[in-house]
Amino acid sequence: MPVAVFFGCAFIAFGPALALFVFTIAREPLRVIILIAGAFFWLLSLLLSSLVWFIAVKASNPENVSLQKGLLIFGAVFSVVLQEVFRFAYYRLLRKANEGLAAISEENLSPISVQQMAYVAGLGFGIMSGAFSMINILSDSLGPGTVGIYGDSQYYFITSAFMTMAMTLLHTFWGVVFFDGCEKRRWWVIAAVAALHLLVSGLSFLNPSYEGSLPPAYVIMVLMAAWAFFSSGGSLQTLTQVWMCKKNGVDSS
Amino acid sequence: SESGQPSLLLTCLHICPLPGVGCSSVQQKIYVQLNKTFPCVRLLNATHQIGCQSSVSGDTGVLHVLETETDLDWVLSSGPNPPYVVLMVAEHFNRSTMMKLKGSARVAGVAVVISKAGPAQGFSPHHSCPNQNSGVYSDSYGPELAGCNVTVWNPLGNSLSYEDFRFPIFSLHEGEEADVIRKCFLDHNRGVNGSDPAYPLCAMQLASHMYAVKDTATCMRRNDIQSRFSISPEFVCDALADYNVWSSLKPLNNSGKGHLDGESVVIAATRLDSRSFFWNEAPGGESAVGGFVTLLAAAQALRAVVEDHPPSQNILFTFFQGETFDYIGSSRMVYDMENGKFVIDLDNIHSLVEIGQVALHRNGQLWLHSDPVSRRNSSVRSESTALNLSLSVAEPDVSQPLPPSSFQRFLRARPIPGVVLTDHMSAFSNRYYESLYDDAEYLNVSYPSGLSPEEQLEYVTDTAKTLAEVATLVARSLYKQAGGLDDHLSSINADPKIVTQMLYGFLVQSNNSWFRSLVSPDIVKNLGDPVKMPTWLVQYVLANFTGTLRNLTQTQCKNPEDLEGESKDLYSYFWVQGPVPPNSTQGEGYCVRAPVRLVKAHSPAFELHQYSSRDYSTWTESRWKQIQARIFLVASRDLEMLTLGVGVAVLLVSLVVTYFINSKADLLFSSSRETTSTAY
């Protein structure tokens, strides 16, 4: 049943994002606004980078396969760079907005912290990036056929869904780390985020040998999760505290 | 296969110009469209529906190539992944195999690969007794001759075209696409060492959803409802209709309808149409083209005497369309004659000569068939004795009925004397009657290799020479029958050059210089490959043969009423391109005046709204929206369910984890609390 593939891949790709949205964002209108604006910024970056790539492709010889491949790589690199630029631009915008929000509130305190804004912005980037990666593939997964007649892997739908999930979460973590680096004026953090983004994007050129692209992406995602956790105020003590609390809660209940 | 490199063969069909630009590249990864396919469509008559049907978005089935009996068992009972789409070569496209497939619920569709030459033993998907119930023989007229009791005309007929299949059947020619399909099957659908084949399997989807159901009365009623109650009506079927072409040796006044006093006419009739199992593929070489080319050549031959020594009676050349489907054209002409809507009526007819299938005669032997029931009043006798041709004409046994012919419809109305000229004494010599194989090759219209198309057009084949002789025989017989004198018979000769040009144009390639010079400039673009509906082309050819050049401009040619010596009542005026001079692309354009007319070939049943009529043809063709065929791989059901399971698991886990983290967020992220600008 192709509908099963559609729902399965949709849940894999967008499940974590949906869960994060439902539990952490949906109830706070300010966070919703920041999420959507973040998605829009990502869209802008994609629009500009795809415009550049499109013009380059149209101006070149379509028969030359290696040139086209080179242009694709160039387009991907340029897109990554532009996304990070727009992330920085969004950071500046949010800082400005934060001052304004603080000014109009009663206690002169902004209703939202920079870390929370970082997380929401990152998630916005991630959701839009995931949507663009996955929606086209999801709609084609509804048809009766699966990928493979030209020699591609038959696991194309599933691996795309997993890659999308990884990218969504990666964008979220990158958002947290990036904003933290900007706050603390640590420019090497920004460079590291950009480099990691380039690495994950470059790994996708290894497809269809999915062993080369998916596990490294997940490894990087776990590392980024840890980095984001530590940079947003978590520590090993808090982890053990929560774990103890849970255990105590379990014991006492 | 898991190879990363697409096969070269498939790459050629991969038409996406740039990766990811200008096409949905994921779709391009999944499907291989098959473009050069011919579907089988649904036709309906008063009582039945015939043809094929698919579900709305198409029928998908795992591909299986039929080569032996065990393959058939695999499809029908032992294969583990039903339903199947069967790919077969034309040898297996016979009644027994198709009936077995029809009765099985495990068949989702059939694709037939048509080779150049037909099966050696012959193949005819038509009835063995064509037009059995719409001819003249019935319980009230020659009952012992009805229903092919005496002669089975088409013994190789297996009536496949008249079966009702509930799955789609497509055909494709041998070539790139058939090779791609076979390669897909060999790569994916054959188990290793006798085990079941493993997923992903190669599958094919055939979509040919037909809107009409049940019978003509039902679909006409639905058309009626649509036209009355819908703002943009969507009809479900169309009556089979086209035009008959007719011309007369001496022009008849078209504005006068009904009985024409003092006029006695010999009708020379033939048919224009043919059919096959598949839609819009009807080469009809022996069954139609041979006949009408002969009559056209005869019309051209008679031109030599029409000016100086015209016969005492008129000769009416009629080319009927739709004869395959219960004589649509001839029944309409008879109906018009009976009701005074044609230039003459049945009382004006002196006799009728029909050209049946004449292209395959053995040893120059032709046969004249006549109706034994009305023969006592017949005044037609064999004319061949006076002629110096290498053909001999004989009559078959007296008690044999007429073969299926338009003449039978005339006999239903009036006992007119008439004969049907054929190359078969009893059963058809045509072993591929109304099938795809009745083409140029079967008629031996073949050219030595190395000739350019223009040289092929001029090359006189043997078939053309023999048909020219038949045409000469027909022309002289008509002349004699119409009261012409014997002295002038020797000047009536059909030109083999013209016959070979017509055969080339109607059977091989209609976009040639001769046809281009005959038709009007805006119709030239419709020429190409053997043209599907030759009615208008026959009209122009006949106009060229029986017409005269007039010195008129294009606007004058369109409206010649006010001009001296021109009459739209007597003639039709055609603006034709003319021969193209060597230095330009278009001819100058000439006005041709000819007594050639088109009349509607639309069954009287639809005029009279008798959609269940037993007297007239009630054939309609269903309408459809989309016809396509494509192949792709299908994944196993297990993999699909696994994907769904993993997706649900991921969703649930992420919901649980997020809830948990969110509820403990203040504890988890507490170590670097900033005093100035945080709030919760």
Side-chain angles (χ1 to χ4, degrees), chain A residues 31-157:
Chain A
R31 293 186 190 181
V32 173
I33 294 172
I34 296 178
L35 181 88
I36 293 181
F40 179 69
F41 265 72
W42 187 90
L43 260 182
L44 273 183
S45 82
L46 183 74
L47 176 69
L48 286 175
S49 57
S50 67
L51 201 65
V52 168
W53 175 79
F54 190 73
I55 292 175
V57 158
K58 282 294 179 197
S60 69
N61 179 14
E63 307 293 323
N64 192 344
V65 176
S66 60
L67 176 66
Q68 295 301 321
K69 182 104 195 215
L71 278 179
L72 193 63
I73 296 178
F74 159 72
V77 167
F78 187 68
S79 177
V80 166
V81 167
L82 212 56
Q83 283 175 44
E84 298 307 326
V85 165
F86 270 72
R87 208 195 295 273
F88 184 71
Y90 196 43
Y91 164 73
R92 297 300 300 264
L93 181 71
L94 283 176
R95 280 301 266 154
K96 274 266 181 323
N98 213 9
E99 291 165 19
L101 283 171
I104 61 171
S105 79
E106 287 177 353
E107 310 108 25
N108 262 359
L109 278 178
S110 164
I112 189 169
S113 74
V114 177
Q115 282 131 341
Q116 287 161 356
M117 283 197 297
Y119 155 70
V120 174
L123 186 61
F125 268 50
I127 288 181
M128 197 41 112
S129 159
F132 256 74
S133 307
M134 202 59 199
I135 294 290
N136 196 24
I137 298 174
L138 278 180
S139 84
D140 285 323
S141 75
L142 277 174
T146 188
V147 176
I149 197 168
Y150 287 103
D152 308 300
S153 162
Q154 59 159 328
Y155 300 110
Y156 181 79
F157 293 137

Side-chain angles (χ1 to χ4, degrees), chain A residues 1 23 109 140 146 150-151 233 238, chain B residues 3 6 28 633 640 662 671 676:
Chain A
M1 258 187 17
F23 285 123
L109 278 178
D140 285 323
T146 188
Y150 287 103
T238 55
Chain B
S3 68
Q28 292 287 330
L633 294 189
E640 293 176 345
N662 192 37
S671 48
T676 48

Side-chain angles (χ1 to χ4, degrees), chain B residues 459-502:
Chain B
Y459 180 83
V460 180
T461 53
D462 292 332
T463 317
K465 288 185 194 141
T466 49
L467 271 186
E469 288 195 349
V470 179
T472 307
L473 166 73
V474 167
R476 291 183 184 177
S477 317
L478 283 173
Y479 186 69
K480 209 155 166 229
Q481 186 67 11
L485 303 170
D486 282 357
D487 327 341
H488 310 294
L489 279 181
S490 52
S491 55
I492 302 176
N493 287 300
D495 185 1
K497 194 112 183 307
I498 288 190
V499 174
T500 198
Q501 283 180 326
M502 280 197 284

